[in-house]
Amino acid sequence: MPRLDRRRILQAGGAGLIGAWAGGSGVGRGDSEALRLKENVIGRTPFTLTAETGSAQLVASGVKTPIWSYDGTLFPVLRMQRGETANIALHNTLPEHTSVHWHGVRVANAMDGVPYLTQSPVQTGETFAYSFAPPDAGTFFFHPHCATSEQVGRGLVGVLIVDGDTREPFDDDLALVLKDWRIDDSGAYLPFTTLEGTSRAGTYGTLRTVNGLVTPRYTLPRNANVRLRLVNIDPTRIANIRIDGAEAHVIAIDGNAVMPFALDGWRLGPAMRLDLAVRTRDSGTATVSDYQAATPVPLTTLDFQGEAKRSRMWQPLLRAQLPEPDLARAQHCQLELGAGVGLDAPVPELKPIVFSDGRTFDPTDSLCLAGTSLWTLNGQSWPAGGHERLPPPLFSFRRGASIVFELFNATPHAHPLHVHGHTMRFLSSTRLQRPPHWADTILVMPNERVTVAFVADNPGRWMIHCHIVEHQEAGMMGWFDVS
């Protein structure tokens, strides 16, 4: 399959070399125009997405940090139309195995990218063919589901935009990827996880960036309707997003259109996305900030310059055609997010799994040793060591059944709970009030009960886990079966 056209990438505003891209606006400086993320239109022509090593200038000293990326640049954007079929061959040149999970996209189970559950891991030098047609438009992203703390920590993430939800085009469309880096002043990595962080709210990064840059500045047209796509790919940090200096409305949550409402702070946990419609002014600037801390942290500056576009306001997005759960006949399930310390239970007897590529995996044939589990779902902790050791399913659902989940957080820390292969309808909560919406990742606050519903219409084995990655890797992960 042909590689991406590097000349077209450069013309689109990206850069072929990671180091040149990351240093383009001056690391640590917010007074220059930042390069936008590299964007590639896909959907008709098969192409190869290569997971590879490289380097980026992340600290002001000029020393480059070794990073991992797709196709030689940080956070590439893949763009396609809803309903088109994407044929993407992942080629792995990393020193360890990897995969791609298409986060939030309702793909077939064999395309979900979870090693040992839906596919064999893609070893060094191997290629795996992903093929799927997104049924929903919106803002999604993709990342590995192998050694996630380290691979995502090194930058192995991309954005997927599926068009087809607008009534009329926006005047500009800007993706903002939020990610911290665990590096010291010399640009060297600190441990991606710590026992203290894993047992609490997670291990926080030391350098906060947007699109790989510190407080970048982006120029937007004046008097224009602009779509901002915020994607929180950080393994740990929960941000409280606000915009000062411009009128902003929430138009989509996790890629799914909502009845627009004014942005007055939105807690954006790891793996969550927020689409905003921003009405720019005739001049001046606006600041996207994180108000989670006592002192707001500026993330990026929006500079209103250039030709004025229009006087009329933007139009609401088109609603996604998601299956509506039958609440009157739904199957009700409790899911408790808990903490527990102890040795893992013995692995139950499970039959070998046959993947779509013909290879098999025996879940009892594992080199991973039992360890300590810090987090649980319904009292069950995923065995230590990764995906290789499969515990029993948390639930088994009949295909087409309507499911109501009552999520209860029995811990003192928030958990963004992500469900694979399905999109949940938010129904109610006891603490953090939210408007009606659909999401694939729900932030459950301490001592909060959140009720969601979905139709189990996608057959296969599906992950459900906390997306604070250390919590996931320390036990807060399970799976359910739809058949």
Side-chain angles (χ1 to χ4, degrees), residues 408-474:
F408 175 59
N409 184 356
T411 80
H413 302 288
H415 299 286
L417 192 75
H418 173 52
V419 172
H420 286 218
H422 300 79
T423 303
M424 301 173 286
R425 175 184 165 189
F426 169 79
L427 298 178
S428 65
S429 62
T430 58
R431 285 196 58 189
L432 185 62
Q433 297 306 307
R434 309 160 176 88
H437 69 279
W438 295 81
D440 54 73
T441 307
I442 296 286
L443 186 63
V444 189
M445 304 301 289
N447 201 36
E448 182 179 36
R449 293 183 185 274
V450 177
T451 304
V452 297
F454 65 96
V455 177
D457 62 343
N458 203 349
R461 300 179 178 215
W462 299 105
M463 280 286 189
I464 181 169
H465 61 86
C466 177
H467 225 289
I468 292 178
V469 177
E470 288 168 277
H471 294 175
Q472 167 196 322
E473 294 177 337

Side-chain angles (χ1 to χ4, degrees), residues 41-300:
V41 177
I42 65 172
R44 289 193 176 92
T45 304
F47 68 91
T48 297
L49 189 67
T50 301
E52 59 189 61
T53 61
S55 63
Q57 183 184 327
L58 297 174
V59 295
S61 64
V63 177
K64 292 184 179 180
T65 297
I67 70 167
W68 293 2
S69 72
Y70 295 110
D71 271 339
T73 190
L74 283 176
F75 318 140
V77 177
L78 304 184
R79 194 164 198 140
M80 62 182 300
Q81 288 291 328
R82 176 176 55 195
E84 287 185 342
T85 298
N87 293 297
I88 303 170
L90 170 69
H91 181 58
N92 181 20
T93 67
L94 301 175
E96 63 187 47
H97 72 247
T98 190
S99 69
V100 175
H101 168 56
W102 308 97
H103 186 106
V105 185
R106 296 188 292 144
V107 297
N109 193 238
M111 298 292 103
D112 198 44
V114 181
Y116 308 109
L117 191 73
T118 70
Q119 70 170 85
S120 305
V122 185
Q123 303 292 344
T124 304
E126 291 186 343
T127 299
F128 184 89
Y130 292 96
S131 181
F132 57 91
D136 312 310
T139 305
F140 308 98
F141 72 107
F142 53 98
H143 65 87
H145 232 283
C146 313
T148 313
S149 288
E150 180 173 353
Q151 293 194 11
V152 171
R154 292 179 181 273
L156 194 60
V157 179
V159 177
L160 176 65
I161 295 176
V162 182
D163 289 319
D165 58 1
T166 54
R167 301 173 191 272
E168 62 178 8
F170 283 83
D171 299 313
D172 205 343
D173 191 324
L174 177 63
L176 300 175
V177 175
L178 281 56
K179 185 192 180 315
D180 295 2
W181 301 84
R182 287 274 299 162
I183 55 178
D184 61 21
D185 291 340
S186 70
Y189 285 108
L190 299 168
F192 293 104
T193 63
T194 63
L195 180 59
E196 181 181 11
T198 301
S199 62
R200 297 183 180 179
T203 301
Y204 287 88
T206 56
L207 180 71
R208 300 192 68 174
T209 66
V210 173
N211 293 349
L213 302 169
V214 177
T215 56
R217 190 183 193 100
Y218 290 98
T219 297
L220 300 177
R222 297 182 298 115
N223 298 333
N225 299 328
V226 175
R227 182 172 185 169
L228 295 186
R229 303 175 187 260
L230 283 85
V231 183
N232 185 358
I233 66 165
D234 192 74
T236 301
R237 189 178 298 277
I238 299 170
N240 189 358
I241 300 297
R242 294 188 184 182
I243 293 183
D244 299 309
E247 180 182 343
H249 285 76
V250 176
I251 56 174
I253 297 170
D254 281 3
N256 304 290
V258 297
M259 182 67 68
F261 60 93
L263 176 67
D264 186 23
W266 183 264
R267 285 182 173 86
L268 194 68
M272 298 168 66
R273 289 89 65 210
L274 187 70
D275 285 47
L276 303 175
V278 175
R279 179 65 188 172
T280 66
R281 304 194 314 275
D282 187 60
S283 62
T285 62
T287 304
V288 182
S289 298
D290 176 11
Y291 275 74
Q292 185 74 2
T295 302
V297 177
L299 300 177
T300 187

Side-chain angles (χ1 to χ4, degrees), residues 344-369:
D344 296 317
V347 179
E349 181 178 357
L350 293 172
K351 295 180 180 180
I353 302 169
V354 180
F355 298 114
S356 60
D357 59 8
R359 286 186 281 184
T360 63
F361 172 72
D362 184 347
T364 63
D365 181 17
S366 173
L367 298 177
C368 299
L369 302 178

